[in-house]
Amino acid sequence: MANYSKVSVTQDARTELHDKLSLTGAEISINNLPAGTSVPFIHSHKNNEEIYVVLAGRGKVVVDGEDVELASGDWIRISPAGKRQFFAAEDIGIHYICIQVKENSLEGYTMDDAVV
């Protein structure tokens, strides 16, 4: 078995990579909201924090009732308990990636975890 997985992703409304890449420590989704639309629900998590990166477009996320404006290049981390909902701007859609991982699970990173 190869030490990697590869998949190509289209511009679907939402693509979850957990199963497609056989991820074991994270869930990653690629999301596209057309102009004037939103994720149709407010949600939070039991254990997982989410890290979002906006690839293109503009919009906002409402976290615990607070509007946070988002634009291409922005990153935001939301703790598990934060109640969140995403909205595209009225005139342009928003294209973003969500990385979901268990809060406080990172034991080493970058050079701390590298074997050289």
Side-chain angles (χ1 to χ4, degrees):
M1 180 173 161
N3 285 323
Y4 66 91
S5 299
K6 179 185 175 191
V7 65
S8 292
V9 177
T10 61
Q11 292 286 357
D12 293 335
R14 180 175 169 87
T15 302
E16 293 180 354
L17 297 178
H18 180 266
D19 292 336
K20 293 179 184 297
L21 290 174
S22 301
L23 300 176
T24 63
E27 169 62 293
I28 301 172
S29 64
I30 301 156
N31 304 270
N32 292 290
L33 287 175
T37 66
S38 68
V39 172
F41 54 87
I42 299 168
H43 78 285
S44 61
H45 288 274
K46 296 174 190 170
N47 300 304
N48 295 338
E49 64 186 6
E50 290 183 323
I51 303 98
Y52 297 88
V53 58
V54 179
L55 301 175
R58 208 172 58 253
K60 71 177 179 181
V61 59
V62 178
V63 183
D64 295 333
E66 181 180 339
D67 289 4
V68 180
E69 297 297 322
L70 298 172
S72 182
D74 286 348
W75 289 77
I76 184 170
R77 177 222 175 243
I78 303 175
S79 68
K83 293 181 182 348
R84 68 210 74 176
Q85 184 177 16
F86 280 77
F87 298 82
E90 289 299 319
D91 61 338
I92 189 170
I94 188 168
H95 179 60
Y96 61 94
I97 292 175
C98 175
I99 304 164
Q100 188 179 127
V101 296
K102 185 174 182 181
E103 187 177 45
N104 298 315
S105 64
L106 188 63
E107 294 178 2
Y109 59 95
T110 313
M111 290 308 293
D112 291 341
D113 189 53
V115 179
V116 186

